[in-house]
Amino acid sequence: NGGLNIYHRSTESFSHPFEELEGLRGRDISVNDVVQEKDGYWLATDNNVLRYDPDRGLDTLKPAGGSAKGYLEGNFVRKLEFDRKGSLWIGTNRGLYTYHPADRSVEAMPLPFNEFQNKEIWELYLDEEGLLWIGTYSAGIFNIDPESREILRNERNPGVDRTETVKSISKVMYGEYWIGTRGGLLKYSKTVGFTGIFRNNIQEPNSLSANSVLSIFNDARGETWIGTRGGLNLLARSKQVFQNYSALPGNRSYLNSGTIYAFWTDSQGRVWIGTEDGGINVYNPETKTYRYITSALEAPYALSQNCIKAFLNHGEDLYVATYLGGLNVIDLNTWKVKHFTARNTLPGSISDNRVWDLCKDQGDHIWVATSKGVDRLDLRSGTFTHFPQLCGEENVAWIEMDSQGNLWL
C-alpha cells in the first residue's frame, strides 16, 4: 500500500510521488498496474486513475466536467491498456470504461454480463490486430473492436470449473494465445477456438504446479513461463510439458521441503537450495537427484539448524545464514561444516543465532544481518565485531554493499 516508487539509478535512491500530491499524502494506496505513453505514465490504483509526468509530477484523472470518480462506477482500478487511437481503457471492480484524451471524456462500456455476475475486470490485452481482450472474474473473455465498439463473447467452454476467472492473457508463437485462469491454463487459436487446457495432476510430475494462473511471460527462445499460486512453471516449446520442482521427503529425486528461501550454483553446475525445514538440498542436474545437508547428519557434516535464510560463497567456503543456528560455514572440498553460534560469555562470538542475510566487503570481512543488529566477521581471526551504531539491536532482514562500499540495510 505504498503507492508509486521511482528508482533513480544515478543516485541509487527512491522518490515517492504520492507524498507530493495533497490529498494522497499519507494515504495507503496500492498501484495495481502501470502503462506508459510518450510523456508520462498512467497508474491503476485502488483509489482511481492517476497520471505521472516526470516534469509536472502526479495528478488524478480529470475528465471534462469534473473528477473521474463521477464517471467510474467503482474506484478500484485493476488494469489499464491503450488502444491504437490513444484511448485509455480502464478495468475496474465494477466494469469497463474508456478515457479519450482528445476531449477528456470518459465513456462507460457495458459488457453483456447477466444480472447475477460479478463485473470485475482482471485483465486487458491489446493484440497485434488492434482487438482488445477483456478478462473478467465471472464471465470469461470478451473481445472488443475499439473502433466499431462491437463486443464479442469469447466462448471458452472447456467444461472446467473456475476457468471463467481470467487473470492473464499472452500471445505465443504461431498465433496461439495462452489464457491464465483460476481453473488452469487454456490454449486458444482465433481460427479454431480453444484447443487445450493444462491443469495440475498430482500423479503427473510434469503437469502444471497449480491451477490458479497469475501471470504468463514468453521469453526470446519461444518458451513460456507461467506464474501460479503453487510456484513457477516453464513450458518448453518443443516438449509441451511443464518443468516444475516439488517436495517429496524420503525420495532423493525430490526436494525434502517445499518452502525455499535461498539459491546458489557452484562451479560444477549443482544448485544449492536453502529450505525452511529441510536444511540444504543440493541438486545435481546430470543425475536429477538431491543430496541433503541437514542437522541430522553426523558431525562434522551436520548443520546447526535446518532453516536456511541465505548463502554467500567466498573462495572454497560457503557461508550459510540459518534461523536459530547462527552462521554455518561449509568447506566445499570436504563438505565439513563449522558452526558460529551466539555465546553471551564468549567475546568475539556472533550476537544472535537468528541470521537473515550476508554480504562481503572489499576486504577480509563478511557482514552479518541478525535479529540483534549487524555483526562483522573477520575472516582471518574468525571473530565477530558488533556494530550497534548502525541500527542498535533492531532486526536486520537484508544487507548489501554497493559499488562504492556503502552498506545498505
Side-chain angles (χ1 to χ4, degrees), residues 71-88:
Y71 296 83
L72 303 180
E73 184 182 0
N75 293 324
F76 188 102
V77 182
R78 184 173 281 106
K79 299 295 293 187
L80 300 171
E81 183 71 87
F82 279 102
D83 64 23
R84 290 181 173 179
K85 296 290 186 179
S87 295
L88 181 65

Side-chain angles (χ1 to χ4, degrees), residues 5-23:
N5 298 266
I6 301 176
Y7 178 67
H8 306 277
R9 295 179 183 273
S10 59
T11 60
E12 293 187 339
S13 63
F14 288 89
S15 61
H16 312 285
F18 278 30
E19 296 299 318
E20 303 166 5
L21 186 64
E22 188 174 359

